[in-house]
Amino acid sequence: MEKFRQGSTTYGNATFWTQDNGILYCKLRNLQPDLKLDCKSASLYLDAIRKLSADEPVPLLIDLRDTKGTFSNDAAHLLSDSFSNMPFVICEAYVVNSLSVKLLVQAYKRIYKTNIPYALFNRISDAETYCLAMTAELCQ
């Protein structure tokens, strides 16, 4: 597998970066429970994913351990529609440490179905293992 463009991009409460392992990381930081992800921010996040993936297939690891809040319906639709049309995101691994965020992700994935496989984890290392296994499976 090719090396991806390294570097980081930050938009508001989100930082995106790649590492030599080929995983595209996203760290969300929001401790305000009343804050909702809006379409403008969701669009910026999608642009960062496109840019850092360099249109190559990548696993996406989303760290939600420092996150509270939710997202607007419009942002949820935008994310689900965009992920369905992103052939370069091969899987999503969510890292969570609270029941509320875990339930939010599960509800989002149930309501806004995409064809992208996903899993939830409590530890980054487990999420990385999943991402690498999914990548290896794709390359067979």
Side-chain angles (χ1 to χ4, degrees), residues 33-102:
D34 296 333
L35 187 64
K36 284 188 176 185
L37 177 67
D38 58 24
C39 278
K40 180 180 177 185
S41 296
S43 250
L44 291 172
Y45 297 173
L46 291 166
D47 287 343
I49 292 167
R50 281 186 199 95
K51 176 182 159 195
L52 289 171
S53 71
D55 292 330
E56 294 290 331
V58 294
L60 179 60
L61 190 154
I62 304 167
D63 185 352
L64 299 171
R65 292 176 297 170
D66 293 328
T67 301
K68 295 182 181 177
T70 187
F71 41 81
S72 70
N73 287 338
D74 289 340
H77 281 289
L78 175 63
L79 290 171
S80 67
D81 290 346
S82 296
F83 278 138
S84 293
N85 295 314
M86 282 186 173
F88 44 88
V89 175
I90 60 173
C91 69
E92 301 168 12
Y94 295 89
V95 182
V96 300
N97 64 351
S98 72
L99 180 59
S100 61
V101 172
K102 181 178 182 177

Side-chain angles (χ1 to χ4, degrees), residues 21 23 25 59-62 65 91-96 118-135:
N21 61 10
I23 297 172
Y25 293 83
L60 179 60
L61 190 154
I62 304 167
R65 292 176 297 170
C91 69
E92 301 168 12
Y94 295 89
V95 182
V96 300
Y118 78 97
L120 291 115
F121 302 94
N122 296 320
R123 299 182 325 181
I124 290 276
S125 60
D126 293 338
E128 288 172 328
T129 299
Y130 170 78
C131 287
L132 295 174
M134 294 299 288
T135 301

